[in-house]
Amino acid sequence: MAMDLVNEEKGYIKGILLRTIFHNAEEKFSIALIRIVDTNEPFQDKEIVVKGHFPPLEQEQEYIFYGNLYQHNRFGQQYQVFTYTREIPKTKDSLVRYLSSDIFYGVGKKSAQKIVDVLGETAIDQILKDENVLAGIPGFPKNVISSFSQTLRENQGFERVVMALADYGIGLQLTQKIYAVYKEDTLKLLEENPYQFVFEVEGFGFRRADNIAKMIGIAGDHPARIQAGCIHILQKQSQFGHVYEYLEQLCDDVRKLLNETEPSVTNDLVEQKMIELSEERYLIIEDDRVYLPSLYFSEEGVSSQLKRIMDIELDSEFVQADILKALGEIEEKETISYGREQYEAIEQALNSKAVILTGGPGTGKTTVIKGIIGVFERLNPKNNNEEKDESPIVLAAPTGRAAKRMTEATGHKAQTIHRLLGWSGSEEFEFNQSHQLDANLIIIDEFSMVDIWLANQLFRAIPSKAQIVLVGDEDQLPSVGPGQVLTDLLSSGVIPTCKLTEIYRQKEGSRIVELAHEIKNHQCDQQSLKRGEDFSFFRSQGTNTLSLLQDIVKKAVDKGYSIRDIQVLAPMYRSNVGINKLNESLQELLNPANSRKRTLKFNEQVFRSGDKVIQLVNQPEKGVYNGDIGHAVTILKADETEENQEQLVVDFDGKEVRYVRSELHQLMHAYCISIHKSQGSEFPIVVMPVVPEFRRMLKKNLLYTAITRSKQSLIICGDQRAFLEGVSTEDQNVRNTTLSQRIKQMFAGEPIAGDEKVEDVEDADQEELSPYDFM
Ligand SMILES: Nc1ncnc2c1ncn2[C@@H]1O[C@H](COP(=O)(O)OP(=O)(O)OP(=O)(O)O)[C@@H](O)[C@H]1O
């Protein structure tokens, strides 16, 4: 590609850097003022601000920017850069200046002159092609050949990649992500197999790879194309929670996917490729099931680690009389009397290597956890000595909010599972099989939210001596990630299970807990929706639902409840009473614009100080995690920050986190959040629209999860029929997993068999919605 030629067909501005106005290193986003040398754009001035995803520009270097002129409402005309290139020095003099510049260590003017004398004006291209040409330059220091050509590659590399990828229709932002993964090898690898990018670069979709592949001649039944199709479908299935897919079904799906553009692939061809892939361990085929290796080995890991832990017997059991005595002390202190089920659960947990504790809301799971910890500490006095920190008790939960609640309820420090395992944002966990946790008793709450991958990481890090208590409510939604670990552990039957059924949180007239148990036990009917002290179902239709909901929230605020106490939940983003619409209207209602309030517009969202917001991704470096809810404290103007960038400051329960513009995609308004996102959290007041439009989403476990989030008051508005139909509809989308069978086999030598094959739910639905859409 001729790097130094301007492509006259596109709008361009050629210029030299005058000043970098802003640069975000992480996002490689730059704003710079340049002096215009040449342009074919209708722009008369001598200078212009260029803006886009490119690295800092170098002084005295000529660049060609391709993009669009646009009018900034404060700063006038600017240039939005789609792609850019650097002018390669063309004259011998400019080449010498470039090659002897500070960028190249150990090469002075003399050596640079010699390079140009020997290699001429195409010196750069020749060196990039083969660095050994430098060895032929008289007097060129041999020891700097490789570092010199490496610097040259790096310096020239990014722009070459930018230009080449632009020809494939890839913009600067995605190019940055691609370049971060493959560096100078980008073009080589893309032209070898663009499909590889689908699996390694976030935001690089299968269709994009397929288009590029076609342009470079990888088409039809090319093995790389079939391989990518297989892995793509398996990954998609895993987003719906499946750990494997049936071979026959997978062949069918892959054939359909690949034949959408050119019908040349048969099921036999796909199957044959799949067998090859399994021989190379890109996939695992077991009987008639196909797995992604990471998921297969996670299942294997969980079952073998569980066996390892459970195979080591307890040194000694606690004597019943001692337990009773210790529990008596706790009962006196807490002024409660443990029920029979609760006592049995505590005793079982204390005298087993592993137990599962399940139960609906208000059955005393937290109270039992407190009992287990209390007795364990009393009967292992060394645990009281925090300084020695021997035999520590470790508490964790999948989300920050659940961990916080666990801490508050038990008085013991609890943390997220990710933090417990020392996750710092990469694939690696500090604690693993070769560096295990120091713990004698490990209690994990909200275990229904743990997916197979995280379960594997957790179990690997548990020392064989430890006792485990897994606490969860099996009727809640399964994990967002693949697998259904709690359900599978329960059905494997190898871990002793304590089911709490007696309800304690039930004041006179309280309906929330009763309603939850009626749903759980399939006893919910019209009568169940009658008003209670803490529950109301207001009927409404059409657009009335939105205004009714606004009235309810407004009244709660007027009564003195804070925005933080009131949580609106909805199952879908797009609808007249969906999450997006509700956030918009509740923001107007609760935090309207006024001249004193600063605002920051990002995509479709306008953030104002005072807004309630939710964090959408895990950010261990900043100490905020997916699902954390906070409020915007203030918006700082660029000249008020050290970094000279506009920032949104958010307070998450006392922890202040700052977001620059390029990080704002991590946040959204949280006046209303999805039910999926509310898992693991509880709120004093839950308000929820239930309308016929949501019907496709309304399932028993979803509604059960939603209503069990409310602690003091639950208000539903909408259509009672839609609600009653929803709570009597089981989620048909049974997940394909083999964990239960694998565990049974591990413990008793039973062969592994897949779950009963379930007929697929409507394809169209699957295409549109996955649990990830709700996160
Ligand atoms: N044995 C008991 N005697 C009296 N009160 C109890 C007993 N067990 C639990 N409770 C009370 O019942 C309420 C619910 O208990 P707890 O929070 O332990 O249940 P949970 O299963 O964790 O419920 P949720 O998931 O809804 O929080 C609490 O107020 C608790 O004090």
Side-chain angles (χ1 to χ4, degrees), residues 336-339 342 360-367 504-505 682 711:
I336 58 160
S337 165
Y338 280 99
Q342 294 179 329
T363 51
K365 297 183 293 297
T366 313
T367 311
Y504 289 87
R505 176 156 57 90
E682 287 175 351
K711 283 283 125 167

Side-chain angles (χ1 to χ4, degrees), residues 571-572 574 691-699 702 729 731 762 764-769 774:
M572 293 168 86
R574 285 173 296 261
V691 293
E693 257 179 286
F694 294 162
R695 211 165 249 150
R696 216 153 39 106
M697 290 297 302
L698 298 178
K699 302 279 158 55
L702 185 96
T729 309
D731 191 351
E762 265 179 75
D765 284 6
Q766 289 216 9
E767 190 61 35
E768 245 177 86
L769 302 164
F774 307 105

Side-chain angles (χ1 to χ4, degrees), residues 350-381:
L350 289 165
N351 281 334
S352 308
K353 272 318 282 302
V355 289
I356 300 177
L357 177 64
T358 67
T363 51
K365 297 183 293 297
T366 313
T367 311
V368 168
I369 294 176
K370 267 158 72 178
I372 296 168
I373 297 172
V375 177
F376 197 87
E377 280 182 336
R378 281 175 168 77
L379 302 186
N380 284 301

